[in-house]
């Protein structure tokens, strides 16, 4: 017993010493890292604004601007003597993963160039956005251009999502910079409204999913152990009822295979055996492809279909372009969830019958 206590004290001492050393290392390295990043940012100003200037100064009255998942963090004024001749903004936003850029613009709303401070996309594909052959195309464009990948922005082969992400990031950053110059420094006025930045769709929580499928209903979770049906796991069951206790529908969540790992869907069925809707609780798929299952244009098409429908793709359910396997996996989870929801509805008084015509449709990988 004494040896165990002694060993515990020794381990605690080692852990404490390690924490102290880590803190000391962080105190030493953090300022160095911050200084290096600041130096890189300062050097990048002249790279993306290669006109004759006397230097740059931070705009003290600039407030960070956010739209969707894009943030324009800083704005620097390019000056010649006391005159403002342009600006550089620092902006961060999603690509396939994420990028931070510096973007230069003159008083006529013309881009002078962009410079990547960071880009964490796939090597050999998305990383090519940081190559001059791609980013040099932005110099000379107007802040009022469309910035549509494949139209006025050349695509990176094999990196469509990165191309679109960078184009959207440049578009919003250019607009913010140009509008600031127009409002504060006599720059040219724009010809349009602020660009609409679409935010990546996200999964639902159980609370938001339930309330959106049966608005104004009260929900009771049915406490049962998780079981499986056709290899899918039934995770949660709910009844939806009115304030007086009348059951108006049932909801079942199902975990099943997805293109990357597993996913979870929640399917609602009314007492007539009609699917009221589907919500996705969990999905970790490819951004811009399989993750588009989180868009209402996909999951919304299940609503109004009979719970006993085959829900096969592509005959019953339209597939997501480029994500057929994901579409089929989700359709199968919904199909299983709908069948289980019908069983729960029958247990709560629905005059329905259980169909045994369902069969898995997911294509083999």
């Amino acid at each position: 017993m004494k040896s165990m206590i002694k060993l515990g004290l020794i381990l605690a001492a080692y852990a404490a010493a390690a924490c102290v050393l880590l803190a000391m290392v962080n105190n030493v390295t953090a300022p160095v890292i911050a200084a290096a990043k600041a130096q890189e940012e300062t050097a990048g100003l002249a790279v993306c604004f290669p006109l004759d200037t006397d230097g740059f100064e931070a705009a003290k009255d600039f407030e960070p601007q956010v739209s969707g998942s894009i943030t324009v963090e800083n704005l620097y004024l390019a000056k010649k003597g006391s005159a403002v001749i342009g600006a550089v903004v620092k902006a961060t936003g999603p690509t396939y993963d994420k990028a931070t850029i510096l973007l230069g613009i003159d008083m006529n709303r013309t881009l002078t160039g962009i410079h990547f401070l960071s880009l964490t996309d796939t090597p050999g594909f998305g990383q090519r956005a940081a190559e001059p052959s791609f980013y040099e195309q932005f110099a000379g464009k107007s802040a009022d251009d469309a910035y549509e990948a494949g139209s006025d922005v050349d695509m990176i082969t094999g990196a469509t999502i990165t191309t679109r992400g960078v184009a959207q990031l440049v578009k919003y950053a250019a607009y913010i910079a140009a509008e600031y110059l127009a409002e504060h420094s006599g720059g040219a006025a724009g010809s349009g409204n602020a660009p609409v930045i679409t935010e990546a769709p996200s999964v639902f929580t159980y609370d938001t999913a339930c309330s959106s499928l049966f608005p104004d209903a009260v929900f009771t979770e049915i406490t049962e152990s998780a079981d499986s049906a056709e290899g899918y796991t039934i995770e949660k069951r709910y009844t939806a009822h009115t304030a007086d206790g009348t059951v108006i529908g049932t909801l079942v969540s199902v975990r099943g295979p997805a293109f990357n790992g597993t996913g979870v869907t929640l399917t609602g069925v009314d007492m007539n055996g009609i699917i009221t809707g589907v919500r996705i609780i969990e999905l970790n798929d490819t951004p811009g492809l399989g993750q588009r299952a989180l868009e209402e244009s996909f999951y919304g098409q299940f609503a109004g279909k009979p719970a006993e429908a085959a829900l096969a793709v592509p005959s019953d359910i339209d597939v997501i372009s480029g994500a057929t396997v994901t579409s089929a996996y989700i359709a199968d989870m919904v199909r299983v969830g709908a069948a289980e929801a019908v069983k729960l509805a029958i247990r709560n008084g629905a005059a329905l019958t259980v169909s045994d015509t369902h069969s898995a449709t997911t294509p083999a990988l």
Side-chain angles (χ1 to χ4, degrees):
M1 183 66 178
K2 290 182 178 179
S3 62
M4 292 179 64
I5 295 174
K6 180 179 180 181
L7 179 60
L9 292 173
I10 292 172
L11 290 174
Y14 276 121
C19 289
V20 171
L21 287 173
L22 284 173
M24 292 174 62
V25 170
N26 183 67
N27 287 337
V28 172
T29 60
V32 176
I33 293 172
K37 288 183 177 180
Q39 186 176 7
E40 181 184 4
E41 187 169 325
T42 300
L45 299 177
V47 173
C48 63
F49 197 91
L51 306 183
D52 184 21
T53 73
D54 291 330
F56 302 87
E57 65 179 41
K60 295 181 175 58
D61 58 349
F62 178 77
E63 297 290 336
Q65 302 294 306
V66 180
S67 181
S69 300
I70 295 177
T71 301
V72 179
E73 307 163 43
N74 300 324
L75 185 144
Y76 302 91
L77 297 173
K79 304 191 75 174
K80 186 67 175 176
S82 60
V84 174
I85 61 172
V88 175
V89 288
K90 177 184 177 183
T92 298
T95 47
Y96 187 85
D97 188 23
K98 187 169 69 173
T100 298
I101 65 169
L102 294 174
L103 178 146
I105 192 165
D106 68 16
M107 303 299 284
N108 295 315
R109 306 177 73 87
T110 300
L111 274 63
T112 58
I114 71 169
H115 173 69
F116 281 90
L117 291 175
S118 68
L119 178 65
T120 53
D121 284 17
T122 309
F125 292 92
Q127 284 287 331
R128 290 168 56 198
E131 297 176 359
S133 57
F134 175 75
Y135 68 73
E136 284 182 348
Q137 67 178 304
F138 293 103
K141 289 186 177 297
S142 169
D144 302 312
D145 285 350
Y147 294 95
E148 293 181 358
S151 178
D152 62 340
V153 174
D154 295 336
M155 300 287 293
I156 302 170
T157 303
T160 300
I161 300 169
T162 296
T163 306
R164 290 173 177 165
V166 172
Q168 187 167 246
L169 179 58
V170 170
K171 181 177 184 177
Y172 184 66
Y175 175 83
I176 293 301
E179 290 300 299
Y180 180 92
L181 290 175
E183 183 177 347
H184 295 85
S185 303
S191 59
N193 297 322
V196 177
I197 304 301
T198 56
E199 192 161 8
S202 60
V203 296
F204 284 80
T205 65
Y206 275 105
D207 287 343
T208 58
C210 288
S211 61
S212 65
L213 291 174
F214 290 95
D216 303 321
V218 179
F219 301 94
T220 299
E221 184 174 353
I222 308 303
T223 305
E224 296 182 8
S225 60
D227 58 11
S228 61
E230 302 179 30
Y232 294 81
T233 302
I234 312 302
E235 295 209 330
K236 291 180 181 290
R237 296 177 174 88
Y238 299 90
T239 56
H241 49 87
T242 60
D244 64 3
T246 302
V247 176
I248 59 174
T250 56
L251 308 94
V252 173
S253 70
V254 174
R255 179 179 294 278
F259 186 79
N260 184 20
T262 62
V264 178
T265 63
L266 180 71
T267 301
V269 171
D270 67 18
M271 301 304 277
N272 295 312
I274 301 300
I275 297 174
T276 59
V278 169
R279 299 293 183 264
I280 297 177
I281 305 299
E282 181 181 319
L283 185 66
N284 299 296
D285 213 320
T286 307
L289 293 174
Q291 285 295 101
R292 290 177 54 205
L294 301 179
E295 297 175 0
E296 189 174 3
S297 58
F298 176 73
Y299 68 73
Q301 63 183 315
F302 293 97
K305 294 186 180 296
E308 63 181 10
L311 303 181
V313 297
S315 56
D316 301 316
I317 300 297
D318 294 334
V319 302
I320 302 164
S321 178
T324 301
V325 174
T326 297
S327 304
Y329 277 143
I330 290 174
D332 269 353
M333 283 186 269
V334 173
R335 175 185 53 75
V336 173
E340 293 298 313
V342 166
K343 294 177 184 178
L344 183 57
I346 292 171
R347 284 161 46 187
N348 283 273
L352 302 169
T353 58
V354 178
S355 171
D356 59 1
T357 59
H358 293 305
S359 61
T361 60
T362 306
L365 291 175

